[in-house]
């Protein structure tokens, strides 16, 4: 049975994204479902898009009306383009964290995102950056290091 980890409503059109994870025998997997009708949310058969994932999907955020950012328990942050025909297409995958990504936050202009991981780091992502050789994030902050700095200032 799927465990729901996050649910987000698009501010632009009211579409709903639900992320979750499940264990089937020895295999851990995840799903990201998009629903166009509120009454369908949580009913997998009524989802307009459901890509199967090799890792649990711990959080999801909308990046405007047609893009989604997903946090996964394999340490990856994945961007998807949602097409009205019911498909989600992976457009970017970064595995900059060393442990599961627990939470995402997106700036109001949809240009930057923060990811928080169980590895103790918070990463700032430029989600509009080209997916070439340059890292999509501008800063990585270790939570433990930030706490140590705070203690030194006292």
């Amino acid at each position: 049975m799927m465990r729901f980890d996050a649910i987000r409503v698009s501010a632009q059109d009211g579409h709903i994204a639900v992320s979750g994870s499940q264990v089937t025998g020895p295999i851990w997997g995840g799903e990201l479902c998009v629903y166009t009708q509120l009454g369908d949310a949580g009913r997998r058969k009524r989802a307009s898009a459901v890509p199967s994932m090799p890792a649990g999907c711990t959080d999801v955020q909308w990046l405007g009306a047609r893009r989604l950012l997903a946090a996964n328990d394999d340490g990856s942050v994945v961007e998807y383009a949602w097409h009205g025909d019911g498909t989600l297409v992976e457009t970017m995958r970064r595995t900059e964290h060393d442990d599961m990504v627990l939470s995402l936050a997106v700036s109001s202009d949809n240009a930057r995102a923060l990811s928080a991981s169980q590895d103790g780091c918070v990463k700032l992502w430029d989600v509009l950056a080209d997916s070439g050789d340059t890292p999509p994030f501008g800063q990585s902050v270790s939570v433990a290091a930030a706490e140590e700095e705070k203690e030194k200032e006292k």
Side-chain angles (χ1 to χ4, degrees):
M1 176 171 221
M2 180 66 61
R3 178 189 80 203
F4 296 119
D5 292 315
I7 184 167
R8 304 286 184 248
V9 178
S10 168
Q12 280 79 15
D13 53 23
H15 293 140
I16 301 153
V18 177
S19 68
S21 50
Q22 69 182 6
V23 176
T24 307
I27 300 170
W28 185 261
E31 288 183 346
L32 174 57
C33 301
V34 176
Y35 299 92
T36 57
Q37 302 293 320
L38 179 61
D40 293 339
R43 298 179 185 161
R44 189 181 184 281
K45 290 182 181 180
R46 294 192 180 186
S48 62
V50 185
S52 184
M53 301 175 174
C57 186
T58 57
D59 198 5
V60 61
Q61 292 288 339
W62 286 97
L63 295 168
R66 297 287 179 206
R67 294 169 43 226
L68 291 157
L69 199 61
N72 296 318
D73 64 11
D74 65 357
S76 65
V77 175
V78 182
E79 183 181 326
Y80 291 93
W82 180 53
H83 301 283
D85 64 358
T87 57
L88 278 171
V89 177
E90 184 176 313
T91 57
M92 184 271 303
R93 174 179 292 268
R94 297 291 181 173
T95 53
E96 305 293 335
H97 284 288
D98 294 327
D99 207 334
M100 69 172 60
V101 181
L102 301 171
S103 183
L104 294 169
V106 175
S107 64
S108 60
D109 63 359
N110 295 314
R112 291 171 306 283
L114 288 171
S115 59
S117 170
Q118 193 163 321
D119 65 7
C121 288
V122 174
K123 296 194 182 270
L124 176 63
W125 301 82
D126 179 357
V127 294
L128 298 179
D130 184 23
S131 61
D133 295 331
T134 56
F137 59 90
Q139 190 172 1
S140 176
V141 177
S142 166
V143 175
E147 286 296 318
E148 288 173 13
E149 281 297 314
K150 187 176 177 183
E151 288 297 317
K152 287 180 188 176
E153 292 175 1
K154 288 183 178 181

